Amino acid sequence: MTAVTVGAGERAPAWRGGFGRLWTAAAVSRFGDGLRGAALPLLAVGLTDSPLLVSLVTAAGFVPWLLFGLLGGAVADRVDQRRAMWAVDAVRAVLVAAFAVAVWRGAAGIGLLLVLAFALTTLQTLFDNAATALLPSVVPGEALGRANARLMTGQTVAGTFLGAPLVPVLLGLAAAVPFAVDAVTYAAAAVLVASLRRPAPVRPARSAGATLRQDIAEGIRVLRRDRVLRAVCAANTVANTGVGALIATLVLLVTGPLHAGHSGYVAVLLAYGVGSVAGGALAERWSALLGGRGRALIPGLAVQAGCLVVLGTVRSLPVAVTVMAVFGALGMIWNVNETTLVQRRTPDALLGRVSAAMRTLAVAGAPLGALMGGAAAEAWGPGTAPLLAAVLFGCALAMLTPVVTAPDTGGESPPAPGSTSLDLQHGGRGEVD
């Protein structure tokens, strides 16, 4: 795999070969996710008028990380990640296709939506951790930061600009169409990942009788001993609680007090996507300007809290669109810089497990946040959920003190035998779409 020099100390991944296929698979899959992510809340709103039930659909999409996230990371460090990824996508294609048939026949209720969200995320716990461990074998270490930014930006463009805007059109054809297309994209992504050609992964020898529980414990120890990763993980957990409250009730805010309907909801998602793409382009410069990836996390989180206050208090669709664009830009900057920070401080032989621990703990707050947001919206109106999220973002900001003076590299725990420290994909905050 070759790379193209883009600046002092930085390299960009070449598109030919493995990275091009991996990027295409990610973009195709996210296109389908964009359709499903926008259509599922609208389907839920059509099935029930209870904010709490609508928020349960979001919560069900996070709970599997609490149950299986650590296990997925341990398995990802043991298996061929490429095979695991395409197999998972193949199974997800079948599940979503079956759900599309159920919607087409009018047999999809809230219960089935909950089951689908739970099943897809359960499979995602293995897929995401395997993807985290796979990228360093496809992209040179010095190009990983830009590879992450390009992957995230490509996924945002495919899901938000190409996928979400089509939802009203596809729903006009039939309620099942967005889900049928999503199933096709999972199948296409599986084929692309399966076509990757790479040597069998080389891993340090394991001690005789090593168990998955011991593997999981090792990853947690590495995370616990690094004060910077520990602080970022704690902040992510609290901020994700706020994100859970936001994404579970955003459709209620836009279609309720803002009176913007389905098209307004799509406009808000598009604005978030525009901001995310801009954030992906600016992430490296933002980090350099602020003197490090850790320092780059703090001001963005503060501005995001302000965006949430505006979203919860100003009843205007143009204002909502604007603040969601800013929120999306800063969220992408967070994700890119957090991802690189985690990779640079983590031994590569433990990357799947440390990433799983980060993701599991970070996502742990989202189901609670979804339920809190739904309950707050039901009791005091949808505008209270963004305000609740703003308070939680403020608490997360206070937890980031250890990253101010820490270097981007050089974790406090020693690297595993035969490993090197690399940068890769995150366990970052959830996405609005």
Side-chain angles (χ1 to χ4, degrees), residues 30 87 112 162 202 212 227 230 283 289 324 380 392 395 432:
R30 183 55 65 87
L112 188 58
L162 303 180
V202 177
L212 285 172
R227 68 186 182 90
R230 189 171 66 238
L289 178 66
M324 286 304 293
W380 301 294
L392 292 167
C395 294
V432 172

Side-chain angles (χ1 to χ4, degrees), residues 89-164:
D89 264 352
V91 174
R92 290 197 287 192
V94 172
L95 289 177
V96 179
F99 179 76
V101 172
V103 173
W104 174 60
R105 299 184 63 181
I110 286 291
L112 188 58
L113 268 66
L114 293 171
V115 170
L116 178 72
F118 186 90
L120 292 179
T121 305
T122 298
L123 292 165
Q124 187 179 358
T125 62
L126 174 57
F127 184 94
D128 284 358
N129 290 314
T132 294
L134 175 69
L135 189 57
S137 69
V138 177
V139 175
E142 63 272 20
L144 280 169
R146 289 184 175 270
N148 283 323
R150 288 182 177 182
L151 278 170
M152 294 179 193
T153 302
Q155 288 175 313
T156 299
V157 170
T160 306
F161 296 151
L162 303 180

Side-chain angles (χ1 to χ4, degrees), residues 69-82:
L70 295 174
L71 179 62
V75 172
D77 276 342
R78 288 189 171 204
V79 302
D80 183 324
Q81 293 94 14
R82 179 187 63 86

Side-chain angles (χ1 to χ4, degrees), residues 174-377:
V177 173
F179 306 104
V181 176
D182 188 29
V184 172
T185 63
Y186 272 133
V191 171
L192 285 166
V193 173
S195 70
L196 287 173
R197 293 293 176 260
R198 57 186 287 268
V202 177
R203 300 185 176 90
R206 296 183 180 276
S207 59
T211 65
L212 285 172
R213 178 178 295 182
Q214 291 170 334
D215 287 351
I216 291 170
E218 187 178 10
I220 293 174
R221 281 195 300 271
V222 171
L223 174 59
R224 179 173 56 85
R225 291 172 180 170
D226 188 309
R227 68 186 182 90
V228 173
L229 295 186
R230 189 171 66 238
V232 171
C233 184
N236 235 353
T237 300
V238 175
N240 248 2
T241 306
V243 171
L246 175 65
I247 64 178
T249 58
L250 184 61
V251 66
L252 301 172
L253 177 65
V254 174
T255 60
L258 297 187
H259 306 292
H262 291 184
S263 60
Y265 180 61
V266 171
V268 168
L269 294 183
L270 277 172
Y272 179 85
V274 170
S276 297
V277 171
L282 295 173
E284 296 296 307
R285 294 177 183 175
W286 178 280
S287 173
L289 178 66
L290 294 175
R293 297 187 185 277
R295 295 184 185 92
L297 301 178
I298 295 173
L301 197 67
V303 176
Q304 282 186 302
C307 289
L308 290 167
V309 171
V310 173
L311 186 65
T313 55
V314 179
R315 298 292 181 263
S316 165
L317 181 61
V319 171
V321 167
T322 301
V323 299
M324 286 304 293
V326 176
F327 189 86
L330 294 170
M332 179 65 81
I333 288 172
W334 170 288
N335 286 341
V336 171
N337 284 292
E338 183 215 9
T339 293
T340 307
L341 185 68
V342 170
Q343 294 174 277
R344 287 183 173 176
R345 300 183 69 90
T346 304
D348 63 337
L350 292 163
L351 190 53
R353 282 165 282 173
V354 173
S355 173
M358 289 283 292
R359 281 193 177 96
T360 299
L361 294 173
V363 171
L368 175 62
L371 295 176
M372 290 170 60

